[in-house]
Amino acid sequence: MSEAVQTLAPVHAEGEMPTKTPRTTDMRSRGEPALWSLGGALAIGIIMIIGFLILVLWNGIVTFVPKPIAIVTELDGTVTAGEPFRAETFKPAPDMLAALPAEWQAKISANDGYAHRTLYRIGNFDLYGEDFRWVSDFSISKTEYREEMVFVERLEWGPFVGTIKSFTVDGVEHAFTSPRDPVFENVHEVSRDRWRKIADIEHDEIGAINYDLERGRLDVRKIELESGKQSPEYIAAQKSLESQSLALQRDYDAYAKQVQEMRSKNALNTLTLVEVGGRETTIEFSELVRAYAANDLSVLQSVAVYFSRWWEFLSDEPREANTEGGVFPAIFGTAAMTLLMVVAVTPFGVITALYLREYAAQGRLVSFVRISVNNLAGVPSIVYGVFGLGFFAYVLGGSIDALFYAEHLPNPTFGTGGLMWASLTLALLTVPVVIVATEEALAAVPRSMREGSLACGASKWQTIRYIVLPRAMPGIMTGVILAMARGAGEVAPLMLVGVVKLAPELPIDGFFPFVHLERSFMHLGFHIYDVGFQSRNAEAGKPMVFVTTMLLIALIATMNTTAIVIRNRLKRKFSGSQF
């Protein structure tokens, strides 16, 4: 045996060192270069994700931080007052450079021809016609931060930057001292309470009157379509509607008078604003959201302003082309659509996967179905939107309108985009994910468990229901989580099947049938697109884009975390369960 081993050993000449196998060959044989490449790609991906989240979180968190107001006086006498928004370097035009003093020309030349400038949020759109203004460093004569400068947030025309000259209470003028003046704060609170009561009356009481009138009109229209205008039923219904309209009109007049009285009282409470150039404008206290002395805020006051802005953002409706105010309708619409999508996609996906894995005879047809399902996952989402609009809204919704809502025509009820059609469209978009995940979860259940159940006398369905499905449930939940993550962030199909820039009514209200799945809705993803690309001022929309993106990520993470907790509980419940 030793001789055989010796003959197999490499023979070297006397004094010659034996050759060694190159290290690179050993590394390739062990796959280390591929391992490094995969590890590096994973690290780069993680770094990119973390960097993106940090970018969104930082810009979103600081959006509502109150900033000081700078008063910049330029060499030509122009005075600009506003919040420093951002700064950048730029290359001045030759004619601009030639008009500068020699000192600045030398500085710019030393900086390779580049200069610095700052973008100020000046507000006062009703006076200036612009929200932002660039000021170059070389044109600045002096910069001040006066304590009397006030940042005013209004319901219309965006913020106002300047000072408050005076304010009136019940028509009596008062000198302004500070936004924290008890008289100023009290009249503001009273006026805003009246404004909210007016909004409640218009939405609830007057809204109920309009709803009753519309329902009466539709009932009469329905009788007209069924029996004709000459029928006794139609004549009786028409008379009943006229008497009902008279009673409702009296109620409407009473509420309208009450609203008018409150508006007249609010008109007596005003404040006069003065911009840095001396021009004045007057607004009602009811139009004032908040006002604060930006250059004279303590830490606690800054924190109070910060959190009050967050509360407004989470609880109010948007205003000023969605660049200000809140996004509560979008939060509600996103959550409602995602939950309805999950309710629709889960049973269809699970039933399909059960049939393909447990009942269908494996063959070419089933293989073709699986290939088709996998290919559906790669179809562009906008194609699903076109299908949803054509099939769900126009065909299915149009048929529902013709059968059950003929009195509403030609105004469509279900024959146009709405919450239900959007949810079903996204359910179609995400059903391949649930099918594939469910099939993999079913295949992971040991065959011995099925055989043991069948050997004990259980039927196939009993085995699936009590043995297979419970143990596959964690994998099914994984598919549902993936579907939620994808569906909640989709925007393109929603633009065709129900999402709108501003939805005046939520899908749930106090009017029968209380849940209105046919209504259009707002969505955080579309809100980001609209603010970022459709607003009149892209700069004004940037902060809202970041904070809405952060909110959308948080909402998806919350829903996914809830599903993950349920999945983990199911895993613990069935871990170690064996026959």
Side-chain angles (χ1 to χ4, degrees), residues 500-530:
V500 292
K501 179 184 180 73
L502 182 63
E505 299 289 343
L506 293 177
I508 297 178
D509 59 19
F511 302 118
F512 183 83
F514 310 117
V515 179
H516 307 274
L517 300 181
E518 77 281 0
R519 286 182 180 174
S520 299
F521 64 102
M522 295 183 68
H523 188 273
L524 287 173
F526 182 77
H527 189 271
I528 294 170
Y529 163 78
D530 177 68

Side-chain angles (χ1 to χ4, degrees), residues 167 177-189:
F167 63 96
T177 56
S178 168
R180 298 185 294 275
D181 180 3
V183 178
F184 185 91
E185 290 180 339
N186 181 67
V187 68
H188 180 218
E189 183 178 353

